[in-house]
Amino acid sequence: MALTGDQVDLFEASMPRLKAIAYRLLGSADGAEDVVQDTFLRWQAADVERIEVPEAWLTKVLTNLCLNELTSARARRETYVGQWLPEPLLAGDPMLGPAETAEQRESVSFAVLALMERLSPDERAVYVLREAFGHPHRKIAEILDTTESASQQLFHRAKKHIAAGRTRTEVDAAAARRIVEEFLTAAVSGRTEPLVRLLTADAVAIGDGGGKVPARAKPFTGAAAVATFLRSLFVPNRAALRLIGGSAEIHLSSANGLPALVAVVRGRVIGVMCPEITEDGIAAFRNQANPDKLERATRRWAAADHGEPVLRIG
């Protein structure tokens, strides 16, 4: 049955929310676009006139498509080359979704998206729907075809897993930006000591090259090792410059709602580094360098004015 104009409009009005849910569930903007398209195909094939609450129906279909994708993604990631990190979303990307509350902002942060990889698909779905979108457990239970008490238990377990990976309190965005600026000054000094002072003792640095660009298979761990690695990234090196295709411009921007460093070569985003900044210092650097996961970032970068870079390498 062909959709009416109103039914198409209803779906299009729901798309921003559906994409924001799907991105949080999958950690992939491309994946989110795909499942939203699949949701539309099911909407198109349904007897829409008999659907009493379209928003609830669309959310249920989308969530279950994401759960299927998460299950198959787990198998694919067993053969993924190196470390897997989410796809970053730059400032202003509508897929970031709601950001009115601390819970909503945290649910899309790079650190939490990475930690959500520890959750089961059902735990992840309950966490996202409850924490970021405020769905009551009764509605979540209907979406997942489970009981309200089971939804509550899944949420409790998800919160516990996330909290276990975030034992420190993060600072606010303004303070985080100042610390990133201090980090850049230390990084270009050519010395490890200023970097070590900004890091927590158990700091880690994780890179995702996806087998497309060089990236260490295991994270760097400990302040000294991380500082040595980071210093090498910000010191001009002919071999490295040839590898990335020329001189790089480093911009202090934001990704997933928090300060981030964006590396750009000839208009192409080649890396997005997301520091996890806590009251104790910088606890982690997560660097997305897989070109497949930076295509959206490059498109958005080209569509906006970002001013002068804070650093040029090469």
Side-chain angles (χ1 to χ4, degrees):
M1 183 181 297
L3 296 175
T4 67
D6 287 345
Q7 291 164 348
V8 172
D9 289 345
L10 190 153
F11 183 86
E12 289 181 348
S14 300
M15 281 179 64
R17 183 181 61 86
L18 295 176
K19 287 181 180 182
I21 293 173
Y23 172 72
R24 284 166 166 81
L25 286 174
L26 302 177
S28 165
D30 281 349
E33 296 278 7
D34 288 344
V35 294
V36 169
Q37 179 61 31
D38 285 346
T39 301
F40 177 72
L41 294 176
R42 283 160 174 74
W43 175 249
Q44 201 171 34
D47 186 354
V48 176
E49 297 290 349
R50 300 186 63 181
I51 296 174
E52 295 182 4
V53 187
E55 289 286 343
W57 188 93
L58 291 170
T59 302
K60 178 170 181 145
V61 170
L62 175 98
T63 300
N64 282 284
L65 286 169
C66 287
L67 289 174
N68 292 339
E69 177 61 23
L70 284 170
T71 301
S72 60
R74 286 195 162 198
R76 291 198 302 273
R77 285 173 196 166
E78 290 179 2
T79 59
Y80 192 81
V81 179
Q83 299 290 313
W84 186 94
L85 289 174
E87 179 179 350
L89 297 182
L90 300 184
D93 194 313
M95 201 175 281
L96 287 168
E100 287 78 22
T101 68
E103 291 78 13
Q104 288 172 338
R105 293 190 293 273
E106 183 177 76
S107 71
V108 80
S109 71
F110 216 63
V112 168
L113 286 177
L115 285 171
M116 279 201 275
E117 289 297 301
R118 303 179 181 185
L119 308 181
S120 71
D122 282 352
E123 287 171 346
R124 187 163 182 160
V126 172
Y127 181 83
V128 167
L129 292 171
R130 178 66 179 166
E131 194 79 344
F133 294 90
H135 286 290
H137 285 291
R138 174 180 55 80
K139 289 188 177 180
I140 296 173
E142 292 172 0
I143 289 169
L144 298 181
D145 292 323
T146 187
T147 64
E148 191 170 345
S149 62
S151 175
Q152 292 169 341
Q153 290 171 2
L154 287 165
F155 182 66
H156 176 74
R157 288 205 300 267
K159 290 274 284 186
K160 186 175 180 181
H161 288 313
I162 297 292
R166 293 170 65 79
T167 55
R168 301 180 179 91
T169 302
E170 288 200 353
V171 301
D172 61 51
R177 188 178 179 90
R178 289 195 297 272
I179 292 171
V180 174
E181 290 170 346
E182 289 180 35
F183 161 75
L184 280 171
T185 300
V188 299
S189 72
R191 299 166 51 232
T192 58
E193 294 83 357
L195 285 169
V196 169
R197 287 197 291 271
L198 290 172
L199 303 173
T200 62
D202 58 351
V204 297
I206 305 168
D208 179 351
K212 306 295 178 69
V213 298
R216 182 180 167 93
K218 294 183 178 180
F220 290 92
T221 58
V226 171
T228 301
F229 164 66
L230 293 171
R231 184 190 63 184
S232 70
L233 288 182
F234 291 90
V235 175
N237 176 290
R238 287 186 178 181
L241 292 175
R242 284 197 300 270
L243 185 65
I244 64 176
S247 299
E249 296 180 342
I250 309 298
H251 292 260
L252 177 51
S253 184
S254 72
N256 293 68
L258 291 171
L261 296 172
V262 180
V264 182
V265 174
R266 298 174 183 173
R268 177 173 55 90
V269 175
I270 64 161
V272 177
M273 179 180 283
C274 300
E276 183 180 349
I277 301 170
T278 72
E279 290 180 338
D280 300 326
I282 304 175
F285 287 90
R286 295 178 177 89
N287 184 33
Q288 183 54 262
N290 183 343
D292 293 344
K293 298 182 182 181
L294 295 173
E295 291 179 0
R296 184 183 181 92
T298 294
R299 292 194 300 271
R300 290 202 60 82
W301 193 262
D305 179 14
H306 302 281
E308 290 296 308
V310 294
L311 179 65
R312 287 186 172 89
I313 300 177

